[in-house]
Amino acid sequence: MNQVILKKKISMRVANGHPWIFANEVNEAPEGVNPGDIVDVYTHDKKFIGKGYINPRSQILVRLLTRKKDDVINEEFFYNRLLEAWQYRQQLGYTENCRLIFGEADYLPQLIIDKFNDYFVIQTLALGIDVWKPAIVAALEKIFKPKGIYERNDVPVRELEGLPQHKGFLSAPFDTKITIQENGLKFFVDIENGQKTGYFLDQQDNRRAIQHIVKGADVLGAFTYTGTFEIHAAHYGAKSVLGLDISQNAVDQANRNAALNGVDKTCRFECMNAFDVLKAWAKEGKQYDVVMLDPPSFTKTRDNIQKAITGYKEINLRGMKLIKPGGFLVTSSCTNLVQPDLFLEIIQLAAKDARRKIRQVSFLTQSADHPIVWEWENTHYLKFLIVQVL
């Protein structure tokens, strides 16, 4: 068996169980190993740490799949991992739509699987997991007997692993424009061309959290994508809802979603640059009872972290200026590098600059089908905050 020996001084991240092992943490690595091969990892004094897949082309040399020495990495291993993940989601009440596999948090590094009722979307983001794609598809077929499986590997991160970007069917072809149900509402999902895997399941629980604050309210939503928060607001009794997004395709789908749920008289969407509009409308003195901000990630690298902080502060400051005294701000960040304490600090600074006091209503994370493993920061990426703006 190929063996990787770690240096004496390794980061606490590895000692605490995180599955990533960087090349600069390794003292000895096998020669002539094929990218994607399974290796055994040991401490400097030959204590077993785990088994994982290796890729000499990647900065992350090894990603661990198991800490158990007796585990054999084969088709049965992946079947059992997927079955365990499905049983866990069922225990939590996610039976229709859910993130079935959330990479490292489900001990399958760089594998993402979203379940949209009877359809599945897969992302294999590292070479070592990509080689097991046939086994993963076979496990899905065996456990779920799905109507369709689609691959959304059109993501640049794969190129860091020496993998091409592509997308396509992993089952017999099917209509990739489907409809799902969430919280009693219906939404169109474009599996083939939508962002990420076609729909953001990580906010499905948080969308219920707005139900009491939007009753009878005039609501403004920015960075709406396909309008899920705004349509929930209309469903929960908002007086009027306006959603803004820079993508005309997203706006068109959001308006179709509003019509699908019979709220198109209350809820409408327009194609606008939210950054510019929030600033201009604040100067004009427009006011809303509720402002909702759900922007995309502002950075993937630490080099741009200050830029991301500035961006979050700016949009939240502008959002607060548009809120009537006693109204509510609903705001999110999916930037993993902006951890919860920093996000709250940014919101506090925005409130100070807006000369508004804020009172926390709720502070939540991603929905529980995207598990958080404590001390693994990359598993805790979503921050969802509701504050009253006084």
Side-chain angles (χ1 to χ4, degrees):
M1 187 69 184
N2 290 322
Q3 292 187 0
V4 170
I5 311 298
L6 299 183
K7 291 179 179 177
K8 187 171 184 179
K9 288 187 177 179
I10 57 173
S11 72
M12 285 305 295
R13 173 183 41 76
V14 177
N16 287 334
H18 198 284
W20 294 357
I21 295 170
F22 288 86
N24 62 7
E25 294 170 322
V26 171
N27 196 36
E28 294 178 34
E31 292 182 9
V33 69
N34 294 315
D37 280 356
I38 301 299
V39 296
D40 283 353
V41 179
Y42 292 85
T43 62
H44 73 285
D45 53 354
K46 303 297 174 71
K47 290 177 183 171
F48 179 79
I49 281 188
K51 297 180 182 184
Y53 55 79
I54 191 168
N55 185 0
R57 290 189 58 172
S58 174
Q59 280 189 321
I60 303 175
L61 182 65
V62 180
R63 301 179 200 257
L64 296 177
L65 290 164
T66 181
R67 297 261 170 174
K68 296 177 181 177
K69 197 167 188 176
D70 294 336
D71 277 351
V72 179
I73 310 302
N74 55 18
E75 286 197 8
E76 186 181 4
F77 174 86
F78 286 94
Y79 170 81
N80 289 332
R81 275 280 199 269
L82 264 65
L83 187 61
E84 287 165 12
W86 175 228
Q87 289 168 343
Y88 176 68
R89 270 69 179 178
Q90 288 176 298
Q91 281 183 300
L92 300 180
Y94 297 98
T95 55
E96 192 168 355
N97 310 306
C98 68
R99 175 146 293 182
L100 176 67
I101 298 293
F102 183 42
E104 285 71 6
D106 285 299
Y107 308 101
L108 288 170
Q110 298 304 97
L111 175 63
I112 300 295
I113 304 179
D114 279 349
K115 177 184 184 295
F116 300 115
N117 203 343
D118 296 320
Y119 299 92
F120 293 80
V121 182
I122 294 180
Q123 291 182 314
T124 47
L125 304 177
L127 189 150
I129 200 72
D130 193 71
V131 299
W132 290 99
K133 196 161 50 181
I136 293 160
V137 170
L140 287 175
E141 296 278 8
K142 189 174 179 182
I143 296 167
F144 296 99
K145 297 183 174 51
K147 289 182 179 176
I149 304 172
Y150 197 83
E151 163 177 30
R152 281 300 301 271
N153 276 325
D154 50 338
V155 282
V157 70
R158 278 172 57 91
E159 294 178 3
L160 300 175
E161 292 274 322
L163 293 168
Q165 293 189 50
H166 63 93
K167 59 183 179 178
F169 295 101
L170 295 174
S171 66
F174 59 93
D175 185 353
T176 54
K177 289 183 170 64
I178 64 171
T179 305
I180 65 168
Q181 292 196 54
E182 177 185 285
N183 301 326
L185 294 164
K186 293 180 181 178
F187 294 99
F188 293 115
V189 175
D190 186 347
I191 286 174
E192 182 179 3
N193 296 310
Q195 288 187 30
K196 304 284 186 174
T197 61
Y199 188 84
F200 293 108
L201 290 167
D202 54 4
Q203 293 271 32
Q204 63 177 311
D205 295 347
N206 297 336
R207 288 189 266 268
R208 291 195 301 272
I210 68 170
Q211 61 183 297
H212 300 297
I213 64 169
V214 297
K215 284 192 174 84
D218 291 314
V219 178
L220 174 67
F223 312 99
T224 65
Y225 187 40
T226 54
T228 46
F229 269 106
E230 291 70 24
I231 290 162
H232 275 77
H235 174 69
Y236 290 139
K239 186 166 68 176
S240 71
V241 184
L242 173 62
L244 311 175
D245 199 276
I246 200 167
S247 163
Q248 186 62 56
N249 285 339
V251 166
D252 291 343
Q253 189 166 331
N255 280 316
R256 287 196 297 271
N257 279 331
L260 182 65
N261 290 284
V263 296
D264 46 323
K265 295 273 195 300
T266 306
C267 185
R268 63 189 175 87
F269 297 88
E270 295 182 10
C271 185
M272 293 184 180
N273 185 324
F275 283 99
D276 298 338
V277 169
L278 292 174
K279 187 175 184 178
W281 287 0
K283 285 182 180 176
E284 291 172 20
K286 287 196 178 187
Q287 294 276 274
Y288 294 87
D289 298 299
V290 178
V291 172
M292 304 190 295
L293 307 172
D294 188 18
S297 178
F298 283 169
T299 183
K300 300 288 187 190
T301 65
R302 293 192 186 279
D303 294 343
N304 295 322
I305 189 69
Q306 193 54 52
K307 210 170 174 182
I309 290 168
T310 302
Y312 282 121
K313 182 186 170 187
E314 189 66 22
I315 63 167
N316 282 283
L317 186 157
R318 293 174 184 180
M320 287 182 202
K321 287 184 174 181
L322 288 167
I323 298 172
K324 297 173 187 175
F328 296 90
L329 174 71
V330 179
T331 185
S332 297
S333 164
C334 61
T335 301
N336 174 54
L337 294 170
V338 175
Q339 283 292 293
D341 288 349
L342 177 56
F343 182 65
L344 292 176
E345 185 182 335
I346 293 167
I347 303 304
Q348 182 60 49
L349 289 170
K352 187 178 179 183
D353 284 4
R355 296 189 173 90
R356 304 293 291 270
K357 288 290 181 190
I358 55 176
R359 182 159 59 180
Q360 180 175 313
V361 176
S362 58
F363 187 38
L364 305 171
T365 66
Q366 66 256 27
S367 57
D369 58 335
H370 296 60
I372 294 170
V373 181
W374 288 6
E375 297 179 326
W376 297 6
E377 286 187 0
N378 60 309
T379 66
H380 187 179
Y381 70 97
L382 185 66
K383 288 74 57 182
F384 176 82
L385 177 68
I386 302 176
V387 293
Q388 186 180 36
V389 182
L390 304 169

